[in-house]
Amino acid sequence: MAIIESLVAELGFKIDDSKLKQFKTSIDGLKSSAISGLSAIRTPVQALIAAFTATVVITKLAADQSAQFQKTAERINVSTESLQKFTNAAKLAGESPEELISALDSLNKKAQDSRHGDAGAIMGFGRLGVNIREANGQLKSADRLLISVADKLKNFKDPTLKRKALGDLGISENLSGLLS
């Protein structure tokens, strides 16, 4: 505004001061409206940025969990689909998915030990009458072993023998209800 006033003074124009003040008031009003308009969109923009950031963080966490789930499935010799089904079944039954994963891990290790001649592992599967090999001679996956163990546990009437059989295979007795 000062530029316009100095230009008018330099050129010696005679103008109505009231019109200049009116023009200045209009410009100030526009400037104020622009600033408040920017303030009004700042909050929604901040909310959008926060929502986007939260989405990125959640997506990253989901990807990390998925990768961890994949690694767990590979480590315990089951498919991710099968592991998902087993952990969901554990949750629905009110059991700990972590204990179920531990049971699958233990069965996988015991099957490996049995394959290498470990007497305790051989006896653990033998006590239940579970064959650790598929018909083609390959070692059963941990999920297939767990299904075989669960099928055999149904025949055990004595809870003490059931707990002993589970213990021999490194499976928590807390899973006894889920497996029988």
Side-chain angles (χ1 to χ4, degrees), residues 28-40:
D28 287 345
L30 285 171
K31 188 166 57 172
S32 177
S33 293
I35 290 171
S36 69
L38 288 174
S39 294

Side-chain angles (χ1 to χ4, degrees), residues 134-176:
E134 298 284 0
N136 66 5
Q138 295 288 333
L139 202 59
K140 285 183 181 176
S141 62
D143 54 337
R144 301 258 307 143
L145 286 169
L146 188 63
I147 291 169
S148 296
V149 167
D151 284 344
K152 298 297 183 171
L153 281 176
K154 291 176 186 171
N155 299 327
F156 279 64
K157 303 300 178 216
D158 183 349
T160 305
L161 289 176
K162 193 181 284 191
R163 281 193 301 276
K164 174 74 175 132
L166 288 172
D168 287 346
L169 297 174
I171 300 173
S172 169
E173 67 181 65
N174 294 342
L175 294 175
S176 178

